[in-house]
């Protein structure tokens, strides 16, 4: 009789452990469900409605994502749940990129011009050319001059003034780079680009000013 009682006790303890383990797995799945549902619900909200509370949205996402990650460890065969989490993560990152673009302040026409001439974000308000060196300066001049050539008919007088300012700043950087190992071959190619730019600037800058004067008279 005593042995039967001991055996029954062992069985009850085992069942208790199993029940506890099942509860943890169920709770873990609910936590993952909550994460997946949150991502889906956020994506269904209009961007304009999220702008004011975007910081709170990100904080809540981070919290649920961390909880889902911890919950995954509680699930024995978690391949399906791992896939669900990864899919929702990709969805959120894509949505986050869209929101980041919408929340970013509009780029001024001056900055758009700088981005076109030198590359996205290369030249900011400080007009620093510290990133230009003996290895890349020829390609920088090349992009600058070719971009100007391709768009010369669309530039305003103010654009040409900005172009001249940037050109002179680049030339100033070249004076430094020449002492840092600029090859004679690149120097020769840059000289050719400068010869192309000078008359193009003069003629088109004058043309833009004349066009603006005509518009002003109207």
């Amino acid at each position: 009789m005593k042995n039967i009682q001991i055996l029954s006790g062992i069985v009850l303890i085992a069942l208790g452990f199993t029940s506890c383990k099942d509860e943890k797995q169920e709770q873990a799945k609910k936590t993952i469900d909550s994460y997946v549902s949150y991502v889906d619900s956020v994506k269904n909200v209009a961007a304009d409605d999220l702008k004011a509370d975007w910081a709170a949205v990100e904080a809540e996402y981070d919290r649920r994502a961390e909880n889902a990650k911890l919950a995954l460890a509680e699930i024995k065969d978690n391949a399906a749940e791992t896939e669900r989490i990864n899919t929702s993560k990709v969805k959120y990152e894509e949505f986050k990129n869209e929101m980041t673009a919408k929340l970013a302040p509009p780029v001024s026409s001056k900055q758009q011009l700088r981005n076109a001439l030198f590359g996205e974000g290369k030249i900011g308000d400080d007009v620093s050319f510290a990133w230009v060196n003996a290895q890349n300066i020829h390609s920088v001049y090349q992009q600058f001059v070719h971009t100007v050539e391709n768009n010369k008919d669309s530039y305003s007088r103010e654009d040409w003034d900005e172009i001249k300012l940037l050109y002179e700043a680049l030339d100033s950087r070249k004076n430094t780079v020449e002492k840092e190992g600029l090859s004679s071959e690149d120097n020769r190619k840059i000289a050719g680009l400068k010869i192309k730019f000078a008359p193009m600037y003069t003629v088109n800058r004058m043309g833009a000013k004349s066009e603006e004067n005509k518009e002003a008279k109207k």
Side-chain angles (χ1 to χ4, degrees):
M1 182 69 179
K2 187 175 181 181
N3 289 338
I4 293 174
Q5 289 176 338
I6 293 172
L7 183 60
S8 297
I10 292 172
V11 170
L12 287 172
I13 291 171
L15 288 172
F17 280 136
T18 301
S19 176
C20 181
K21 189 174 182 181
D22 288 344
E23 284 181 13
K24 282 187 175 181
Q25 291 208 48
E26 285 303 314
Q27 186 56 48
K29 288 181 180 180
K30 287 180 181 179
T31 299
I32 293 170
D33 286 342
S34 175
Y35 166 74
V36 172
S37 296
Y38 182 75
V39 172
D40 289 339
S41 65
V42 166
K43 280 174 61 62
N44 289 328
V45 178
D48 288 340
D49 295 333
L50 288 177
K51 284 182 179 180
D53 298 317
W54 182 243
V57 170
E58 287 198 285
E60 181 63 14
Y61 171 82
D62 290 340
R63 185 184 72 80
R64 292 187 187 233
E66 182 61 25
N67 288 342
K69 181 180 177 182
L70 294 173
L72 203 58
E74 299 291 341
I75 302 174
K76 186 176 180 181
D77 299 317
N78 60 17
E81 299 302 326
T82 299
E83 180 64 24
R84 293 179 68 207
I85 289 175
N86 290 339
T87 298
S88 289
K89 182 178 180 181
V90 171
K91 283 183 183 179
Y92 180 78
E93 289 300 325
E94 289 175 350
F95 182 69
K96 180 180 177 180
N97 290 338
E98 292 173 11
M99 284 299 299
T100 300
K102 290 175 181 177
L103 291 170
V107 180
S108 67
S109 57
K110 180 182 288 188
Q111 187 60 52
Q112 288 177 7
L113 177 61
R114 292 176 176 182
N115 290 343
L117 293 170
F118 298 104
E120 193 74 25
K122 289 286 190 179
I123 300 296
D125 293 335
D126 58 355
V127 194
S128 172
F129 282 86
W131 53 278
V132 177
N133 53 48
Q135 286 69 48
N136 66 16
I137 192 167
H138 170 241
S139 64
V140 173
Y141 267 99
Q142 198 169 38
Q143 178 175 337
F144 177 88
V145 173
H146 288 173
T147 301
V148 171
E149 185 176 29
N150 292 337
N151 298 278
K152 62 182 184 294
D153 295 329
S154 64
Y155 291 140
S156 67
R157 181 172 57 84
E158 287 78 9
D159 289 336
W160 283 110
D161 289 344
E162 175 68 11
I163 288 168
K164 182 66 181 302
L165 181 150
L166 295 168
Y167 178 75
E168 290 175 347
L170 178 59
D171 265 359
S172 178
R173 178 61 181 168
K174 178 178 176 292
N175 293 335
T176 300
V177 168
E178 280 185 304
K179 303 169 187 175
E180 298 175 349
L182 178 62
S183 70
S184 57
E185 177 66 13
D186 280 348
N187 209 349
R188 183 184 62 76
K189 291 177 180 178
I190 290 170
L193 290 167
K194 288 166 66 70
I195 290 171
K196 177 185 284 189
F197 173 79
M200 182 166 56
Y201 166 79
T202 302
V203 172
N204 287 279
R205 198 322 187 140
M206 289 176 61
K209 185 175 181 180
S210 299
E211 193 63 32
E212 288 185 7
N213 289 338
K214 287 179 183 178
E215 290 297 321
K217 289 178 180 179
K218 293 180 183 178

